[in-house]
């Protein structure tokens, strides 16, 4: 029997390639770019994400600092802290790590970030720029999905892309990006009827729900590329939205862990360097 298992779309290889390109861009700048993370509380997952972003930033020559505020921080204090970081002329990129503790409102915090320093790309101005085809900062996970496709030669133009999940963080910006690349895009969500039939149409599937194994082998067209974004913890292990039997049907799959998450981290650093390049050019 030939081995029919899908090719693994290794996120580490993509992230390393991005880091190498970004390092060269940093070396060409007159000063190192500076990125500041704002984190509230002691959620271990958030702390770990910030650490990995900070580690990669420093590896490529980006100065990275983290402002940690206590769990009980109120909205006004958080807003004032974010504004102070944003207004610091020496800072090129600001990232408020989400989710915030439940008593805090995310929307005004994200809107307080200067769109040109908004390395997460969540500010409404950047959302508008993305959908209008204007240059701006684009959310990191969708940028990472595009980078994985480009790295592994997965065609987007004219292909059917089905994205399961329609959040502002992942699904919607991914739809805008794949549309920009001339794919035919469908966004599925919790009210989608016959999810399996919709997903089976796809040449490229993006699973961004956060429910272990929601995308199963029987829902996938043979040979399709499947990009697993969702993350859940099952019996203490991180698992994705893609069920193990998808590997027997698909042509290529991102592993979880070791796939999309690593590329998301690289894109935070790439966005910081892009922001710094623009600010340095504008100051000349
Ligand atoms: P979210 O805001 O909770 O959105 C989840 C989406 O899934 C919603 O659009 C929801 O539909 C949809 N959904 C829920 N149940 C569904 C069902 N039964 N069938 C079809 N769609 C369903 O989450 P998010 O922030 O986008 O994150 C999604 C997952 O990705 C999470 O597990 C998160 O941890 C992970 N994540 C990973 C990375 C990475 O780099 N790998 C980055 C960011 C997030 P409705 O809109 O109808 O409610």
């Amino acid at each position: 029997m030939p081995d029919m298992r899908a090719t693994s779309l290794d996120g580490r290889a993509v992230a390393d390639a991005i880091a190498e390109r970004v390092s060269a861009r940093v070396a060409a700048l007159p000063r190192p770019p500076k990125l500041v993370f704002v984190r509230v509380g002691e959620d271990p997952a958030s702390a770990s994400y910030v650490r990995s972003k900070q580690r990669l930033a420093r590896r490529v020559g980006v100065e990275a600092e983290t402002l940690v505020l206590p769990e009980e921080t109120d909205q006004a204090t958080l807003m004032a802290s974010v504004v102070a970081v944003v207004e610091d002329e020496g800072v090129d990129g600001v990232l408020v790590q989400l989710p915030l503790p439940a008593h805090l409102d995310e929307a005004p915090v994200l809107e307080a970030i200067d769109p040109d320093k908004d390395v997460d790309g969540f500010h409404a101005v950047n959302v508008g720029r993305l959908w209008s085809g204007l240059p701006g900062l684009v959310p990191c996970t969708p940028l990472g999905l595009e980078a994985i496709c480009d790295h592994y030669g997965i065609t987007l133009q004219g292909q059917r892309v089905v994205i399961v999940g329609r959040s502002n963080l992942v699904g919607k910006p991914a739809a805008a990006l794949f549309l920009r690349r001339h794919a035919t895009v469908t966004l599925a969500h919790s009210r989608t009827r016959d999810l399996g039939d919709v997903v089976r149409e796809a040449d490229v599937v993006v699973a961004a729900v956060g429910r272990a194994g929601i995308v199963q082998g029987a829902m996938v067209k043979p040979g399709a590329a499947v990009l697993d974004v969702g993350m859940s913890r099952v019996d203490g292990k991180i698992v994705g939205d893609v069920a193990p039997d998808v590997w027997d049907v698909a042509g290529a799959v991102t592993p979880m862990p070791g796939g999309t998450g690593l590329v998301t981290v690289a894109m935070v650093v790439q966005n910081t360097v892009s922001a710094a390049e623009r600010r340095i050019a504008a100051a000349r």
Side-chain angles (χ1 to χ4, degrees):
M1 275 286 283
D3 184 5
M4 300 301 284
R5 297 270 298 171
T7 301
S8 178
L9 301 170
D10 175 26
R12 172 74 59 200
V14 183
D16 283 347
I18 293 162
E20 201 171 306
R21 287 199 295 271
V22 166
S23 292
R25 285 166 59 185
V26 171
L29 288 173
R31 60 163 178 84
K34 183 167 175 184
L35 169 62
V36 177
F37 299 95
V38 178
R39 184 163 73 68
V40 185
E42 287 309 326
D43 175 54
S46 290
S48 149
Y49 291 143
V50 169
R51 271 197 307 277
S52 51
K53 291 169 191 171
Q54 190 162 300
R55 206 178 306 124
L56 185 66
R58 288 177 177 161
R59 189 178 120 198
V60 303
V62 169
E63 280 178 22
E65 284 175 13
T66 304
L67 173 64
V68 183
L69 299 171
E71 178 81 28
E72 60 277 10
T73 301
D74 62 25
Q75 186 82 27
T77 308
L78 172 58
M79 292 295 287
S81 307
V82 170
V83 168
V85 175
V86 169
E87 287 180 349
D88 182 340
E89 274 302 311
V91 172
D92 299 294
V94 180
L95 189 155
V96 178
Q97 183 64 39
L98 303 179
L100 294 171
H103 68 279
L104 295 169
D105 186 1
E106 282 173 9
V109 177
L110 297 182
E111 293 307 298
I113 298 174
D114 176 344
D116 295 329
K117 297 185 178 186
D118 169 35
V119 294
D120 250 343
F122 295 151
H123 192 288
V125 166
N126 283 320
V127 176
R129 286 170 173 164
L130 174 60
W131 283 99
S132 311
L134 297 170
L137 292 163
V138 175
C140 300
T141 301
L143 267 186
L145 301 176
E146 184 184 41
I148 291 168
C149 292
D150 289 343
H151 185 94
Y152 287 101
I154 295 165
T155 308
L156 294 170
Q157 180 163 325
Q159 298 295 93
R160 288 184 180 226
V161 177
V162 173
I163 301 163
V164 190
R166 57 170 164 180
S167 70
N168 290 334
L169 276 65
V170 185
K172 283 189 221 164
L177 262 191
F178 287 127
L179 204 52
R180 194 163 89 176
R181 294 292 298 273
H182 310 296
T184 302
V185 178
T186 302
L187 274 175
H189 47 79
S190 67
R191 323 288 162 89
T192 297
R193 256 192 296 116
D194 305 323
L195 183 65
D197 292 345
V198 175
V199 172
R200 216 171 292 111
E201 290 277 302
D203 304 297
V204 178
V205 180
V206 175
V209 175
R211 269 214 205 178
I214 189 172
V215 172
Q216 304 193 338
M219 299 164 69
V220 172
K221 177 157 96 178
V226 182
L227 309 176
D228 194 358
V229 176
M231 284 190 277
S232 340
R233 202 168 270 278
V234 175
D235 300 331
K237 272 177 48 186
I238 299 281
V239 297
D241 285 354
V242 170
D245 66 352
V246 169
W247 287 80
D248 299 327
V249 184
V253 183
T254 58
M256 178 66 71
T260 56
L262 297 172
V263 191
T264 297
V265 171
M267 287 308 179
V268 171
V269 180
Q270 181 177 293
N271 273 351
T272 304
V273 175
S274 300
E277 286 170 345
R278 264 182 237 132
R279 292 185 71 243
I280 290 167
R284 278 200 179 120

